[in-house]
């Protein structure tokens, strides 16, 4: 379908804005340089979360789940919290009853679309990717905020929480080019099963635009000449990733087994944690293994009715909790 320039639907729009401020100019220059130095895009496993529609705009509630069911469980917890925070008064009785009804439903059923007290909620799907170059994955850019010193990043919260999924929002030239590249992108047919590839091709049609989400960071490690992530967790800032991923249970010094009192292990854990000095550099070694703080970009597909939900081929980790508890009895 051909649209007049002034009548392009929001879900098809990419609005490039020229920004004259110095910070934007430096950020654009960083982006161009990194696109040349790290030209290969590598997709990771999809992540899942929930979003709420308010006043015609979808906003992310949480986006950190490895499977659709984990996201549903998190959404049920969100409604439990709203139920507990709603006053126990007669005028709020219907509101509380609806929250209770919905979290009980999510305990039993794999539901991806809900309308609760007048607001729409949806389980959403997002696609992370990293850039690779001749020397490995892309590290943080000079313009990526990294405000806190080592060991003091607990104040950081996810930039995804409350983020508006707005395809019509203005963007810089480089991000606009990335979005245009991602619009037609799908899984390679030889890299994934047939149903996964078919779903990714269908998503290009049903959700024909993409929105780039706030950048996150993780730590990669180079083992036997190949880079791989140390964990699946993405953090808000580079130092947050260094703090978390440069320390592990193996650093405690006390082996946790059936004979180890938990109090002894936790005391050793706190001592080891206090003695740990997280690195500040983007490249460092952990027990002789080269590591690098890695920049993680993420996009969500959008269509005329908002962000994309889970695909039929997306693996779902487990049953809803109430049904999961019944599973041993069912198999007996």
């Amino acid at each position: 379908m051909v649209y007049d320039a002034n009548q392009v639907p929001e879900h098809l729009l990419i609005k490039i804005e020229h920004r004259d401020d110095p910070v934007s100019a430096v950020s654009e220059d960083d982006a161009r340089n990194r696109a040349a130095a790290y030209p290969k895009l590598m997709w990771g496993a999809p992540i899942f979360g929930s979003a709420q529609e308010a006043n015609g705009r979808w906003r992310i509630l949480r986006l950190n789940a490895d499977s659709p069911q984990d996201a549903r469980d998190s959404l049920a917890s969100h409604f439990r919290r709203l139920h507990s925070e709603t006053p126990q008064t007669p005028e709020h009785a219907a509101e509380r009853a609806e929250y209770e009804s919905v979290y009980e439903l999510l305990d039993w059923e794999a539901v991806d679309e809900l309308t609760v007290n007048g607001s729409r909620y949806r389980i959403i799907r997002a696609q992370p990717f990293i850039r690779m170059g001749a020397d490995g994955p892309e590290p943080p850019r000079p313009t990526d905020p990294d405000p806190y010193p080592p060991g003091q990043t607990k104040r950081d919260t996810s930039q995804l929480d409350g983020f508006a999924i707005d395809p019509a929002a203005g963007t810089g030239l480089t991000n606009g080019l990335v979005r245009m590249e991602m619009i037609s992108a799908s899984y390679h047919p030889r890299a994934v099963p047939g149903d996964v590839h078919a779903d990714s091709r269908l998503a290009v049609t049903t959700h024909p635009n993409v929105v780039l989400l706030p950048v996150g960071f993780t730590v990669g490690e180079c083992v036997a000449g190949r880079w791989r992530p140390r964990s699946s967790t993405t953090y808000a800032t580079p130092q947050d990733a260094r703090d978390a991923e440069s320390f592990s249970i193996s650093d405690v010094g006390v082996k946790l087994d059936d004979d180890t009192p938990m109090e002894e292990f936790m005391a050793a854990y706190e001592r080891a944690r206090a003695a740990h000095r997280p690195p500040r550099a983007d490249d460092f070694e952990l027990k002789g293994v080269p590591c690098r703080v890695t920049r993680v970009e993420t996009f969500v597909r959008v269509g005329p009715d908002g962000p994309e939900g889970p695909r039929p081929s997306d693996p779902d980790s487990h049953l809803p909790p109430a049904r999961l508890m019944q599973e041993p009895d069912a198999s007996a």
Side-chain angles (χ1 to χ4, degrees):
M1 181 178 293
V2 177
Y3 295 95
D4 180 90
N6 296 318
Q7 296 178 330
V8 177
E10 273 200 356
H11 74 278
L12 297 177
L13 189 62
I14 298 180
K15 184 179 179 182
I16 307 296
E17 289 184 344
H18 176 67
R19 298 164 180 167
D20 292 326
D21 62 285
V23 174
S24 295
V26 174
S27 297
E28 283 291 316
D29 190 54
D30 277 352
R32 287 191 295 268
N33 291 337
R34 288 299 181 84
Y38 298 90
K40 185 178 181 181
L41 305 185
M42 297 186 64
W43 288 14
I47 56 175
F48 303 88
S50 56
Q52 178 184 6
E53 185 188 33
N55 300 319
R57 183 69 64 215
W58 288 91
R59 289 187 178 273
I60 294 173
L61 294 175
R62 296 294 300 274
L63 186 62
N64 61 354
D66 293 329
S67 74
Q69 187 55 50
D70 288 332
R72 297 181 199 111
D73 293 344
S74 177
L75 184 58
S77 296
H78 174 74
F79 289 128
R80 281 186 165 87
R81 180 180 61 80
L82 292 179
H83 177 266
S84 68
E85 294 175 351
T86 303
Q88 299 184 41
T89 57
E91 58 267 32
H92 291 93
E95 184 180 357
R96 285 175 53 84
E98 189 157 356
Y99 286 139
E100 183 176 14
S101 174
V102 170
Y103 69 65
E104 289 180 348
L105 172 67
L106 286 168
D107 283 347
W108 286 96
E109 302 294 336
V111 181
D112 294 331
E113 294 273 350
L114 294 158
T115 298
V116 186
N117 287 320
S119 291
R120 295 176 67 196
Y121 294 82
R122 175 177 296 170
I123 301 302
I124 62 172
R125 181 190 201 275
Q127 179 62 62
F129 65 95
I130 64 170
R131 297 177 179 275
M132 291 289 291
D135 67 336
E138 181 189 9
R141 297 175 184 175
T143 47
D144 288 329
D146 199 9
Y148 302 127
Q152 297 185 28
T153 56
K154 290 182 180 180
R155 292 170 288 180
D156 288 340
T157 57
S158 175
Q159 298 179 72
L160 294 175
D161 296 348
F163 181 81
I165 303 174
D166 184 2
T171 187
L173 176 60
T174 306
N175 276 354
L177 292 173
V178 173
R179 287 178 61 184
M180 286 189 282
E181 183 178 4
M182 293 296 108
I183 280 174
S184 60
S186 61
Y187 293 126
H188 194 284
R190 292 197 295 271
V192 295
D195 60 338
V196 176
H197 176 252
D199 281 351
S200 72
R201 292 300 305 151
L202 180 61
V204 172
T205 301
T206 59
H207 295 79
N209 201 350
V210 303
V211 171
L212 294 178
L213 304 182
V215 172
F217 303 88
T218 189
V219 172
E221 59 182 9
C222 188
V223 178
R226 296 178 65 89
W227 285 93
R228 67 185 186 187
R230 281 179 60 83
S231 77
S232 61
T233 305
T234 301
Y235 302 92
T237 68
Q239 192 58 48
D240 205 3
R242 297 182 198 106
D243 284 0
E245 295 300 329
S246 60
F247 182 86
S248 67
I249 293 296
S250 63
D251 298 319
V252 172
V254 174
K255 185 178 180 181
L256 180 62
D257 54 35
D258 292 340
D259 298 325
T260 304
M262 182 56 66
E263 295 80 4
E264 177 184 339
F265 179 82
M266 291 307 299
Y269 177 89
E270 293 300 332
R271 289 194 300 270
R273 198 49 149 159
H276 177 62
R277 293 295 179 265
R280 182 66 178 179
D282 293 332
D283 286 282
F284 52 90
E285 285 194 0
L286 292 175
K287 299 179 181 178
V289 177
C291 296
R292 173 176 292 177
V293 180
T294 301
R295 196 173 195 270
V296 181
E297 299 179 72
T298 306
F299 68 86
V300 60
R301 287 196 168 276
V302 292
D305 191 38
E308 181 186 17
R311 299 172 184 174
S313 57
D314 287 327
D316 234 350
S317 59
H318 54 82
L319 293 170
R323 291 173 58 192
L324 189 63
M325 291 177 63
Q326 284 193 339
E327 190 69 9
D329 296 332
S331 61

